[in-house]
Amino acid sequence: MSSQEHLFSRRKFIILGRGVLVLVGLSTVFPIGKYLAFGDKRTEVERFSKDEIKLTNKWQRVADTRFWLRQGEERPEAIWATCTHLGCEVRFDPGKDLWVCPCHGSKYSFEGKPISGPAKFPLPMAKVEEQKGYFLLKPPV
Amino acid sequence: MHRRQQTSLWQHIRPQRISGKSLRFKATFCLGGLSFLSFLILVGTGMLLLFNYQPGEKAYSSLVEINSVLPYGALIRSLHFWAGQFMVISIFLHMVRVVVSHAYRPPRELNWVIGVLLLGLTLIMDYSGYLLRGDQEGGAAASVGVSLLQVIPGGKALAFIFFGNPSPLNSSTLHLYIWHSHVLAWVISVLQMYHFWRIRRNGGIRSL
């Protein structure tokens, strides 16, 4: 088979096929990027009905988030339980009325003021917005 | 690379001469190659699924999330599923072709045995992938598998090794996940490489 008899020589055809394969491969980059880069936005803003959590004057965690809520003197308050040292998730110890960071042992008072450990800044407060029967929580910027 | 320095492995995989007879489409029907292609798709999509699949109690909910929340997640999972089904079928047809063309005879005996091993491993992969969904159907299929294994002597130990602590419904998918994604996938890749190398050494095809 000589190449003159055909529109494409075999070699040209293979090169063309390889180009098509490369194009197909490149076309997967965008979907794969979208798939891998998908961020879970749902934990950033939390919305739940007022019946869901009974607010007390002690800190209560909103399940599976870093939001902790309590009934303040005038209005509900929320803390974003992230250590101001290196960003670990801190937990409230109701026995000692302290916030404790598991990473480097920073301790915060009930209100979130730093007491000991490497952290020097108070815990950030989260925004609480009240809507009809709902709380809307936003982490600090 | 200097020609004299080329290792024999490299020469087997990318030889200078290829037999024209073995390149004919009817010699292979490309069935082994198609099986390998589906394996490559399975590895690629499987690696993507690893980023979002959670073995254990959350298996099914993570699957639902991949299917309905993640962009292109449903496409990636469908590709993984269908490539898996296709691989089983193409391997079966590949074996029929090998039998019909007497390609299992010496000197290719050992490669036939390796191929049968690869079929078994692929079936185990297909089955465990089915269980990894973590839904009720998979749980039922798992209890069937456990019961079948326990019939053979030493099967209880085998069932424990493969399924973890067996329970009648929805036992944890963690053990299966490790076998499926991190052990058997590697075993299959290595065996496949050996399979292909032996094909080359016996003068078989050199595709693409």
Side-chain angles (χ1 to χ4, degrees), chain A residues 42 45-49 52 62 67 131-132 134-137:
Chain A
R42 281 169 301 173
V45 176
E46 188 73 15
R47 181 176 179 270
F48 57 91
S49 85
E52 239 172 282
V62 182
F67 291 113
Q131 290 179 345
K132 284 173 258 168
Y134 287 99
F135 284 124
L136 200 67
L137 295 177

Side-chain angles (χ1 to χ4, degrees), chain A residues 57-116:
Chain A
N57 59 354
K58 287 266 180 182
W59 292 109
Q60 276 183 79
R61 188 183 181 200
V62 182
D64 296 328
T65 71
R66 288 190 177 197
F67 291 113
W68 291 67
L69 272 175
R70 81 179 200 98
Q71 181 63 51
E73 276 162 32
E74 288 154 31
R75 44 201 249 80
E77 290 173 355
I79 260 180
W80 179 246
T82 299
C83 186
T84 51
H85 175 223
L86 289 172
C88 291
E89 184 171 356
V90 293
R91 293 196 71 88
F92 182 66
D93 183 343
K96 293 175 189 160
D97 266 5
L98 282 177
W99 293 91
V100 184
C101 178
C103 295
H104 304 96
S106 296
K107 289 199 176 86
Y108 302 85
S109 69
F110 183 87
E111 296 82 25
K113 300 265 171 334
I115 295 174
S116 66

Side-chain angles (χ1 to χ4, degrees), chain B residues 10-24:
Chain B
W10 187 246
Q11 274 180 340
H12 281 307
I13 293 171
R14 297 193 77 84
Q16 287 168 308
R17 281 160 212 267
I18 300 160
S19 150
K21 254 167 99 184
S22 68
L23 274 181
R24 277 181 309 130

Side-chain angles (χ1 to χ4, degrees), chain A residues 10 18 21 28 30-40 42 64, chain B residues 45 48-53 65-66 69-73 75-76 208:
Chain A
R10 184 176 291 193
R18 200 177 286 170
L21 275 182
T28 63
F30 176 74
I32 289 175
K34 285 282 266 186
Y35 173 82
L36 290 178
F38 182 75
D40 199 348
R42 281 169 301 173
D64 296 328
Chain B
T45 53
L48 289 173
L49 290 174
L50 281 183
F51 285 101
N52 288 288
Y53 178 77
E65 189 160 310
I66 290 170
V69 180
L70 288 160
Y72 302 99
L75 175 69
I76 289 166
L208 289 176

